[in-house]
Amino acid sequence: MGTTAYERMLSVALAALHERDPERLWPLLAAELPLLCGGDALIYKLDNWDEREGTLGLSPGADTGFGPLGDEETSLLRAGYPLAGHYAGRADRTPVTARRVAGRAWSGSPTAKLLDGLLDVDHVLGIPLPRSTTPVTGCLVYRSGRDFTDDELRLAERLQPLLAAVDEQRQLLRRLHAPSEEAADLALTPRETTVLLLLGDALTALSIGRRLGISERTVHKHIANIYRKLGTHDRVSTVLHAQRLGLVPTSVGSRPGGVPGRRGGPG
């Protein structure tokens, strides 16, 4: 991976870690991924690839060509031909292009013709989230001219853990209840909020570190900051207090009676 691509990846990762709004995380990725992968535009879809429903997210600038779409055209994009079928039938989540999956049939497909008319692109690279099962979630990167190269596919594969981490951050932040005024005054950082949610799931500091890609020592520093800001001294009282403030959903990681489990001892 070139230095420029690495620096862009690092910039995206840092921006995602400091973003409080979960709905802004994928737009942030959508703005950078085409540049990283050598594409011109991107569509991401984080729910089921189905021609009948689902929200499409677009990279900046791509939305100008999608305004006049009818139901039939939108259905073609939602269906994700031929990549949705390719990934649905196997466990392998390696990035691949539409032409490599469908061969010559891709160029003559209704989807390819639609994309050519809308965005003047004729090649598609599928980048699914590496652990997605049903539905298969992820994004499609588009370009004109030539198909994506082997090097670009390898780069897309190296980007998959970053996409998965950012989407996990999105899901964790969305699980938060609207915080009370008292909770807002605590001024937890986005990373502290994420660690707090995982404490509510009864994960150890080691497990949290592995989940977030940081060291166990860094996790303990975040936990110490959380204890200080909430005025607590242990995991159970911290999670219970956070639940009362609306910082952690009451259903997360709790046993009957509302007391969080303590797998593996204290954080």
Side-chain angles (χ1 to χ4, degrees), residues 24-223:
R24 294 182 61 182
L25 287 173
W26 266 96
L28 185 155
L29 290 176
E32 292 291 340
L33 279 178
L35 298 174
L36 283 169
C37 298
D40 302 320
L42 175 145
I43 289 178
Y44 61 89
K45 197 159 184 289
L46 304 178
D47 44 21
N48 193 30
W49 282 99
D50 187 296
E51 66 274 11
R52 294 181 298 277
E53 59 185 359
T55 303
L56 299 174
L58 308 171
S59 58
D63 54 350
T64 58
F66 286 83
L69 287 185
D71 291 342
E72 183 177 349
E73 294 167 320
T74 304
S75 295
L76 282 176
L77 292 176
R78 286 174 173 159
Y81 170 85
L83 296 166
H86 169 78
Y87 290 118
R90 66 193 68 212
D92 185 9
R93 294 291 176 262
T94 304
V96 69
T97 68
R99 184 175 293 277
R100 297 189 188 208
V101 171
R104 293 182 179 179
W106 162 247
S107 298
S109 68
T111 302
K113 293 177 181 178
L114 173 63
L115 291 167
D116 182 41
L118 289 175
L119 299 173
D120 193 27
V121 296
D122 43 19
H123 295 285
V124 185
L125 167 63
I127 312 178
L129 297 184
R131 293 189 295 273
S132 64
T133 52
T134 302
V136 177
T137 59
C139 58
L140 302 173
V141 181
Y142 302 93
R143 76 187 294 171
S144 58
R146 58 179 176 80
D147 199 6
F148 293 84
T149 66
D150 289 341
D151 286 342
E152 287 165 337
L153 264 66
R154 282 191 288 270
L155 176 58
E157 188 171 1
R158 297 190 68 177
L159 287 169
Q160 284 178 299
L162 171 61
L163 303 188
V166 171
D167 193 60
E168 185 165 330
Q169 176 87 344
R170 178 185 68 91
Q171 294 183 51
L172 285 169
L173 290 175
R174 289 187 71 179
R175 285 163 53 189
L176 284 172
H177 289 171
S180 64
E181 185 175 343
E182 182 183 356
D185 291 341
L186 296 174
L188 293 177
T189 67
R191 180 39 62 94
E192 288 166 357
T193 300
T194 303
V195 170
L196 179 57
L197 282 166
L198 294 176
L199 283 176
D201 281 337
L203 296 183
T204 65
L206 179 60
S207 296
I208 292 173
R210 288 173 177 170
R211 181 81 65 89
L212 299 179
I214 58 178
S215 70
E216 185 178 4
R217 181 179 179 183
T218 299
V219 174
H220 279 296
K221 288 182 179 179
H222 287 309
I223 293 174

Side-chain angles (χ1 to χ4, degrees), residues 214-265:
I214 58 178
S215 70
E216 185 178 4
R217 181 179 179 183
T218 299
V219 174
H220 279 296
K221 288 182 179 179
H222 287 309
I223 293 174
N225 288 335
I226 293 168
Y227 287 178
R228 174 176 55 81
K229 291 181 179 181
L230 269 67
T232 54
H233 302 285
D234 59 69
R235 176 191 294 262
V236 174
S237 63
T238 297
V239 173
L240 290 175
H241 187 41
Q243 288 173 347
R244 287 192 292 270
L245 293 175
L247 287 167
V248 175
T250 57
S251 61
V252 174
S254 58
R255 293 177 177 174
V259 179
R262 300 193 63 178
R263 295 195 298 268

